[in-house]
Amino acid sequence: MNSTSLRRRVVSLAVPAALKQLLDIVQLLIDMLMVGTLGVAALAAVGLSMQFMMVVQAIMSLFAVGASTLIAHYIGSGRFNRASSVVYTAGLLALGLSLIVMIIGHYGANDFYQMMSKDNEVVRLGTQFFGVLSLGMSLVFLDALAFSALSAGGDTKSSLYIKIGSAFLNGVLNYLFIFGHGGFEPMGVVGAAYGTLCAYGFSLIFYGWLFYKGKILTVIPIINKKDVQRIFRIGLPSVAERFIGISGFLVFIWLIASYSTESLAGYQVGLRIEAFAFMPGVGFSVAAMALVGQYIGAKNYEDAYKAGVLSAKIAISFMGSVGIILMVFPHFLVELFTTDTATIEQAVLYLRFVGAVQIPLALTFVLSGALRGAGSTRLTLRISSLSLWLFRIVPAWLVVQLGYGILAVYVAMTVETIIKGFWFWREYKSRRWMKKIL
């Protein structure tokens, strides 16, 4: 395929995926703003639920990566019925996992909140919120599967359109349920949970219609034993990678919190702003994963390699530009979130560091996605985990123990980001991963 056509395919997949990511963030911010009007305890209760959802997302990567990689390979090789049977198999797996999470979440919500907070009101409200949200875990899991499957098939636009509708519905229902408008009784944080579940239900109705229509994929009720084994072989390293990443993230937060409350607050504000910079990386990661998987399925290894490289180059141009904005205008961005001088100072420091490493961060996002599309999830696990702990967590812990300031922690973070980005580039460029295809 010539470079112009390949570029067009990359952008057509990446842009809708990035915009969907934007809507996910905006929807979360709107939820937090609405819940925030109920008080600090309500805001903290809903915010803490995001920590549990990080674990849920890690579990979902089993089928979100394992199944979508298989689907992309089968579509690339023209085996559409086999790809559709993987959707069915992954759907059963998603339902089974969601039931386990539902039981743990519903009955363990109180214990989780008691572990995370000493405030009785936060525990009470959080237990109510997550107790309801847990009951709809099947909707959450199937939504993630549907998006991953369609993306692997080369369709990210449909997911974007569905997200636009569900995000709007979520906002409207939150307004009605939380505050008691339109004839509803005020439900507070529980209303936010019901609004979220209704939005997921809305999405699944339209995803179901797309699969029923079957333009790219449908659902064929056949379970192939080899495909089940492949889903686990590809997906389990991704689950491990996510859990190791979460543990590292929590340790890094703990190290930053050891300096001051303002340092922690500034870091959290910086993360929220940085999330917008991630969007191009997420979008082009989805594109790279789908295209590399499809080209490998077609045994077109040269275009598979080129798809990853081109996706990375375009992502670098976008994220590099965003990095310049983060470094040049950090005060303006931070002041949209807080007026506290000490917090602003800490957030600005963080943003200047992350702005400087958007290029290696783009390489990490996109090339890790490309390698997952090839099925090389053990390689991404090894690079991500070793880099995180050897070059970020351990050095950051050492500088804290030696009494250096938070600047040294961010230097460790920056060095690790550069090492990881170019480590992914080195491995991808070597093409050794092509010798270990499924």
Side-chain angles (χ1 to χ4, degrees), residues 6 10 284-285 287-289 291-293 295 301-316 362-363 365-371 425 428 433-434:
L6 184 57
V10 168
F284 285 99
S285 176
M289 185 173 176
L291 291 176
V292 170
Y295 285 130
Y301 299 113
E302 188 59 31
D303 278 348
Y305 176 79
K306 289 179 180 178
V309 172
L310 183 58
S311 297
K313 286 181 178 179
I314 302 174
I316 283 171
L363 287 173
F365 268 108
V366 178
L367 297 183
S368 64
L371 291 171
W425 169 242
Y428 190 82
W433 49 274
M434 287 187 177

Side-chain angles (χ1 to χ4, degrees), residues 152-338:
D155 180 10
T156 54
K157 289 182 181 178
S158 295
S159 295
L160 172 60
Y161 298 146
I162 290 171
K163 187 63 186 182
I164 291 172
S166 68
F168 177 77
L169 178 65
N170 190 192
V172 172
L173 292 180
N174 276 358
Y175 177 74
L176 297 176
F177 295 165
I178 293 173
F179 307 114
H181 297 295
F184 292 94
E185 290 292 324
M187 290 184 274
V189 294
V190 173
Y194 282 123
T196 299
L197 293 182
C198 288
Y200 276 114
F202 170 89
S203 295
L204 282 179
I205 290 172
F206 284 92
Y207 276 128
W209 179 77
L210 286 174
F211 283 112
Y212 175 76
K213 191 175 180 181
K215 269 191 174 181
I216 300 175
L217 290 166
T218 184
V219 179
I220 296 178
I222 297 175
I223 298 177
N224 185 289
K225 185 178 178 180
K226 287 185 178 179
D227 287 342
V228 174
Q229 293 172 342
R230 286 170 176 167
I231 288 173
F232 277 90
R233 189 168 71 246
I234 297 169
L236 283 176
S238 291
V239 174
E241 182 181 345
R242 290 294 293 270
F243 273 111
I244 292 171
I246 291 170
S247 65
F249 174 73
L250 294 176
V251 171
F252 196 69
I253 289 178
W254 172 70
L255 291 172
I256 290 173
S258 68
Y259 284 97
S260 67
T261 301
E262 290 77 14
S263 296
L264 178 59
Y267 176 68
Q268 296 287 357
V269 169
L271 280 178
R272 286 178 174 82
I273 295 171
E274 189 187 12
F276 290 95
F278 285 168
M279 288 184 300
V282 172
F284 285 99
S285 176
V286 170
M289 185 173 176
L291 291 176
V292 170
Q294 288 182 18
Y295 285 130
I296 283 177
K299 300 188 183 305
N300 186 348
Y301 299 113
E302 188 59 31
D303 278 348
Y305 176 79
K306 289 179 180 178
V309 172
L310 183 58
S311 297
K313 286 181 178 179
I314 302 174
I316 283 171
S317 66
F318 278 100
M319 292 182 68
S321 301
V322 173
I324 294 172
I325 295 173
L326 294 179
M327 289 188 291
V328 177
F329 304 108
H331 283 90
F332 171 76
L333 297 171
V334 173
E335 286 168 3
L336 296 174
F337 290 83
T338 181

